[in-house]
Amino acid sequence: MKKHWIAICFANFFVASLMGLLLRWMYVSPIEGVNFQFLMHGHSHVAMLGWVYMMLYFLIVYNFVPKEAQQKRIYNRLFWITEVAVIGMMLDFPAQGYAFVSILFSTLHIFCSYYFARLIWKDAKPATFPEKRMLRTALLFMVFSTFGVWCLGPAVGLLGKSSAFYQICIQYFLHFQFNGWFLFAVLALFFKQIKLKIEEKKFRLFYSLFVIATILTLALPVSWFLPNPIFYWLNVVGVVLQLVATILFIQNTRSQLQVFFGTLSSLEKTVYGFALFSLVLKIGIQLVVLVPELAQMSHQIRNFVIGYIHLTMLGIITGFLFGFTLQHQFLNAKNAFHKWGIQVFLIGFVATEILLFLQGLYLYFDMGVLPYYYLSLFIGSVPLATGILMITGNLLWQKNTKSHKLHELLMKN
């Protein structure tokens, strides 16, 4: 059953990567009959809710729910109902954008996530206080993030899609999904992997600073639509607190991290190192954006926005997810398809991030567009989809092979 879940998650990721590749190609040569905005909505929803959410669903159940509770049929049923919601969004968003059917499936996914949060809150048995606190906070952020979605309807009805309220609702949802639910969940899983040992008092300080920072840094996207000095200073406090929390965490866990990395294979070291480096880079970017002029430019130059989102989504979150799947041997570091698939994916990620941020700098300094930028960005994106295809194809092939062997065995008996 768990192997089926993993294969489905990677299949969702592959579809999201194909949508992303098509979006990049449309800058090179527009495709008649394909609506760019609709396709972008499909890409973002499948990547967030089909890849990251579903992988976190699987890994949280596997790591924190006792074996006997995992056997409850509700977990399997809820997984497949949630996947139906993902497939519905996968098909309808590119076709119609935000319409009745796509909104219906999005709503189904939200209610599934509420039920998942309730199940995990009740059944999960984290081994340590830090794991429990981070996991429950992740679930709370997941629920809180959806308040932004529920406000979208009233925002459109009262003020319209161009209103500041509508845009802030979207940013609220995205901020607490990425920086709340996703990040706290992968850190809860990471703490379990490294068998984190830290004094409760020190952890509480790190935790409190990190939560406060997560809430306060919402002020940056709010300031894009409601220019007011108070939002700038709230973001400054949030970023500084985040930096302090990170430094405290590193100081208190350095020796444990060294021991942990010493037990890993070379590929596991690569993906975990990639995730941690991306996290440090994200914090560094947030520090740079404290310069008021750069804070506004970070929103106005779309290349920076996409680069930052992908840094969080593909660098940090996906990096950690790859590490977890390798450690639990759901992906095999010795399997050529898995090994090269991950490495090819990382090559594409690095190439596209360099291009996105470099083009952003060109625009910031009024230097125009990089030569062959859109074609280069498309070519650089091919390894992203190729790497995921290698992994997904091999997982599906293994599943079908095992199913075929089991069928033959049953027939012989």
Side-chain angles (χ1 to χ4, degrees), residues 60 64 117-126 129-144 180-181 184-185 188 207:
I60 287 171
F64 293 121
R118 179 178 178 274
L119 287 172
I120 296 302
W121 197 281
K122 182 181 65 172
D123 290 342
K125 305 295 180 187
F129 175 75
E131 292 171 22
K132 182 177 181 179
R133 182 57 62 88
M134 295 297 282
L135 177 60
R136 290 197 164 186
T137 305
L139 295 173
L140 287 174
F141 274 131
M142 177 181 71
V143 173
F144 290 157
W181 156 228
F184 276 75
Y207 169 81

Side-chain angles (χ1 to χ4, degrees), residues 8-20 23 38-55 82-95 98 102 105-106 109 173-174 177-178 182 313-314 318 321 388:
I8 291 298
C9 292
F10 272 93
N12 291 340
F13 196 13
F14 176 60
V15 172
S17 70
L18 282 182
M19 289 181 179
L23 287 169
F38 293 174
L39 184 61
M40 185 174 66
H41 290 321
H43 167 69
S44 60
H45 279 79
V46 176
M48 289 176 60
L49 306 179
W51 162 239
V52 177
Y53 177 92
M54 298 300 277
M55 276 296 292
T82 309
E83 177 60 20
V84 167
V86 171
I87 293 172
M89 292 184 283
M90 187 187 296
L91 297 173
D92 201 65
F93 268 116
Y98 280 98
S102 59
F105 282 115
S106 301
H109 196 288
F173 170 72
L174 293 175
Q177 280 277 306
F178 283 99
F182 291 166
M313 185 81 165
L314 302 180
T318 298
L321 294 179
I388 300 304

Side-chain angles (χ1 to χ4, degrees), residues 21-59:
L21 194 61
L22 188 56
L23 287 169
R24 295 273 165 86
W25 177 253
M26 289 180 72
Y27 278 105
V28 179
S29 178
I31 302 173
E32 188 176 349
V34 178
N35 185 297
F36 182 90
Q37 200 73 21
F38 293 174
L39 184 61
M40 185 174 66
H41 290 321
H43 167 69
S44 60
H45 279 79
V46 176
M48 289 176 60
L49 306 179
W51 162 239
V52 177
Y53 177 92
M54 298 300 277
M55 276 296 292
L56 288 176
Y57 181 111
F58 162 69
L59 289 168

Side-chain angles (χ1 to χ4, degrees), residues 273-386:
F274 220 90
L276 292 170
F277 175 76
S278 296
L279 181 57
V280 171
L281 190 58
K282 172 183 176 290
I283 295 170
I285 291 172
Q286 288 177 291
L287 287 168
V288 170
V289 173
L290 291 182
V291 178
E293 183 185 353
L294 295 178
Q296 198 58 34
M297 282 294 180
S298 68
H299 169 60
Q300 294 174 349
I301 298 178
R302 185 170 176 77
N303 307 76
F304 286 150
V305 175
I306 297 173
Y308 182 79
I309 291 173
H310 283 188
L311 176 67
T312 304
M313 185 81 165
L314 302 180
I316 302 171
I317 308 301
T318 298
F320 275 118
L321 294 179
F322 279 163
F324 302 146
T325 51
L326 285 167
Q327 266 200 288
H328 291 299
Q329 298 184 335
F330 297 118
L331 294 184
N332 188 346
K334 295 180 180 179
N335 182 303
F337 287 97
H338 298 174
K339 179 180 179 180
W340 284 104
I342 290 174
Q343 291 177 340
V344 168
F345 174 86
L346 293 180
I347 289 170
F349 170 73
V350 172
T352 53
E353 286 294 285
I354 290 173
L355 285 168
L356 284 165
F357 281 103
L358 186 58
Q359 178 57 61
L361 290 173
Y362 261 59
L363 294 174
Y364 178 73
F365 291 109
D366 293 323
M367 296 169 63
V369 180
L370 280 165
Y372 304 106
Y373 168 67
Y374 293 114
L375 180 59
S376 300
L377 192 60
F378 170 77
I379 294 172
S381 302
V382 171
L384 291 169
T386 303

Side-chain angles (χ1 to χ4, degrees), residues 151-161 163 165-166:
C151 289
L152 288 176
V156 173
L158 295 172
L159 301 170
K161 286 190 175 182
S163 67
F165 181 39
Y166 178 83

